[in-house]
Amino acid sequence: MTNNSKLVELYILMKRIRTFEERVSELFIKGHTAGSMLHLSIGEEIAAACMGNAMQKNDSFTTHHRGHGIFLARGGDPKYMMAEIAGKKDGYCKGKGGSMHIADMKLGHLGSNAIVGGGIPTVIGAGLSYKYQSLPYISVAFFGDGAMQQGILYESMNLSTLWNLPVVFCCINNQYGMGTKIDNAVGYKDFAARAKSFGLKSLYINTLDPEIAYKQIKELFKSTRNNNEPCFIEIECYRFLGHARMDKSPYRDESEESEKRKLDPISFASNQMIKNNILDEADIKKIDNDIMIEMDKAMEFAINSPINDETEIFKDVYSENDPLPVSLDEKINKILNN
Ligand SMILES: Cc1ncc(C[n+]2csc(CCOP(=O)(O)OP(=O)(O)O)c2C)c(N)n1
């Protein structure tokens, strides 16, 4: 066995992301998730794993609605993440954010955002603060190809080069915006060229090999971190499942899905490890099994975590001086009884 720890590290990260999301899916089926909207990144793990692994301690980031994998790659604890998705008290935001609004300042997670492009300008503020304080950190905005059509992205790109900020714009291009294929939504698909026209260094990644992707990203980060040169990275991949948990993808052919699912970064990495004598099948099975145990425990933790009592539910949501909201039933009864 040769020692190629980076490939192994990235494999483990991708596998943890996938297994976590498979358990999230199970949590949904068992009726334990808060709300019905769950956006899984199965098939796209190479993006979160390589970007997250190339970032450093104290770097910050924002994510779009499909952000579980990114947070895991930045050190998110699956137990507290799963509890958040279940709307429970032990969640990162005490269950008040759910799948699409997780944040954790300690790990640099400045917030997931359900508005397409909504999290992008936040990194401009973070980058500005790092520059002012001469801190060696970068701030990364993660978003989908749908956000490439949002004006806020270009306002943010403009400010990033105007003020020379240590920020990264990362587009995870999974080919679809809900049920619309990119070909039906985008006139000019050379996103890197768009970013270059704003003065950003740009990188287009289209590979199943996580080591290649990681090295390219790490290299580009150097000038962002050391010289305040903002950059743009597009990572091409494919969303294996529907847009959200309820979506069975009626807008695309099964043959397209089955062909594209063959392009699986996790299978690629596992084959690569075997081919290059880095790990054998038994080693990989052991890794997979340990991950399964970790994620099973996280799911159990979320299911057993308590729910908030009534006084906690509205805390941090409304100002303390505001009256607490009343249910529609209570409102109607009050009107009827008057
Ligand atoms: C400003 C805005 N417009 C529309 C929506 C509805 N919407 C939610 S997700 C989504 C598709 C986003 O696609 P993309 O940015 O490519 O991310 P992906 O879901 O593919 O990861 C849309 C249109 C929204 N949330 N915000």
Side-chain angles (χ1 to χ4, degrees):
M1 299 287 124
T2 57
N3 183 16
N4 185 334
S5 58
K6 187 48 78 180
L7 183 58
V8 177
E9 204 180 326
L10 291 171
Y11 173 80
I12 291 174
L13 207 41
M14 292 195 295
K15 189 74 188 180
R16 285 182 72 236
I17 294 170
R18 181 158 305 178
T19 312
F20 175 85
E21 292 208 309
E22 284 166 355
R23 291 297 169 273
V24 168
S25 196
E26 212 176 309
L27 200 71
F28 174 84
I29 291 165
K30 289 180 171 167
H32 290 288
T33 54
S36 62
M37 291 304 274
L38 272 181
H39 306 87
L40 304 181
S41 64
I42 290 180
E44 308 176 18
E45 295 88 349
I46 191 169
C50 295
M51 286 291 295
N53 199 262
M55 288 166 71
Q56 292 177 7
K57 193 165 183 264
N58 295 321
D59 288 346
S60 61
F61 60 102
T62 60
T63 84
H64 54 337
H65 49 281
R66 207 176 295 284
H68 305 152
I70 298 160
F71 192 19
L72 269 175
R74 291 304 303 141
D77 185 320
K79 289 198 303 290
Y80 306 130
M81 285 176 66
M82 199 79 83
E84 184 60 39
I85 293 167
K88 299 292 190 69
K89 204 170 181 167
D90 292 312
Y92 271 104
C93 309
K94 297 184 189 156
K96 294 172 214 175
S99 163
M100 276 193 284
H101 301 98
I102 299 184
D104 180 55
M105 298 303 139
K106 287 194 205 87
L107 289 171
H109 193 337
L110 307 181
S112 318
N113 206 305
I115 304 299
V116 173
I120 296 172
T122 306
V123 304
I124 295 295
L128 193 59
S129 86
Y130 301 154
K131 189 177 170 186
Y132 260 79
Q133 299 174 78
S134 300
L135 295 170
Y137 311 144
I138 61 172
S139 194
V140 184
F142 289 93
F143 48 88
D145 41 289
M148 289 303 300
Q149 278 54 254
Q150 292 295 95
I152 191 68
L153 172 65
Y154 300 101
E155 293 180 43
S156 303
M157 282 184 170
N158 178 52
L159 288 179
S160 75
T161 46
L162 178 69
W163 294 335
N164 300 311
L165 302 178
V167 302
V168 179
F169 301 94
C170 178
C171 172
I172 303 177
N173 180 355
N174 64 12
Q175 318 292 317
Y176 282 87
M178 298 184 85
T180 306
K181 198 172 184 160
I182 189 166
D183 299 344
N184 299 323
V186 181
Y188 182 62
K189 291 201 274 290
D190 190 343
F191 294 153
R194 288 194 203 173
K196 267 187 209 151
S197 77
F198 278 82
L200 289 144
K201 282 194 165 179
S202 293
L203 178 62
Y204 168 64
I205 296 177
N206 187 5
T207 177
L208 289 180
D209 189 331
E211 269 195 298
I212 292 179
Y214 169 83
K215 279 185 191 145
Q216 288 180 324
I217 294 164
K218 193 81 187 163
E219 184 59 32
L220 187 61
F221 278 180
K222 280 184 193 161
S223 56
T224 306
R225 190 181 301 283
N226 301 332
N227 309 330
N228 290 325
E229 287 176 8
C231 68
F232 169 80
I233 301 170
E234 174 188 357
I235 303 174
E236 190 146 339
C237 49
Y238 190 76
R239 194 191 73 204
F240 282 12
L241 304 175
H243 168 72
R245 195 56 189 74
M246 304 296 275
D247 173 17
K248 302 276 177 268
S249 320
Y251 42 81
R252 61 189 194 190
D253 290 344
E254 268 176 40
S255 58
E256 175 190 311
E257 285 192 357
S258 53
E259 274 310 300
K260 290 285 192 178
R261 281 182 189 159
K262 287 180 193 156
L263 304 174
D264 184 343
I266 296 183
S267 312
F268 179 92
S270 132
N271 290 336
Q272 192 81 348
M273 290 189 296
I274 293 169
K275 196 173 101 194
N276 295 333
N277 257 339
I278 298 166
L279 294 181
D280 61 25
E281 277 184 35
D283 296 328
I284 296 174
K285 222 174 181 170
K286 163 95 177 63
I287 290 174
D288 292 355
N289 202 44
D290 288 348
I291 292 174
M292 216 155 67
I293 293 168
E294 180 196 14
M295 297 310 167
D296 281 346
K297 280 187 183 158
M299 191 172 70
E300 281 309 306
F301 177 84
I303 291 172
N304 295 326
S305 170
I307 52 167
N308 288 308
D309 59 35
E310 271 189 35
T311 52
E312 180 59 40
I313 286 176
F314 300 114
K315 225 171 162 187
D316 308 321
V317 178
Y318 293 95
S319 140
E320 283 184 5
N321 300 324
D322 282 346
L324 288 181
V326 286
S327 72
L328 196 57
D329 278 355
E330 277 178 74
K331 277 185 193 164
I332 292 170
N333 284 335
K334 203 171 162 191
I335 294 166
L336 292 177
N337 294 333
N338 271 339

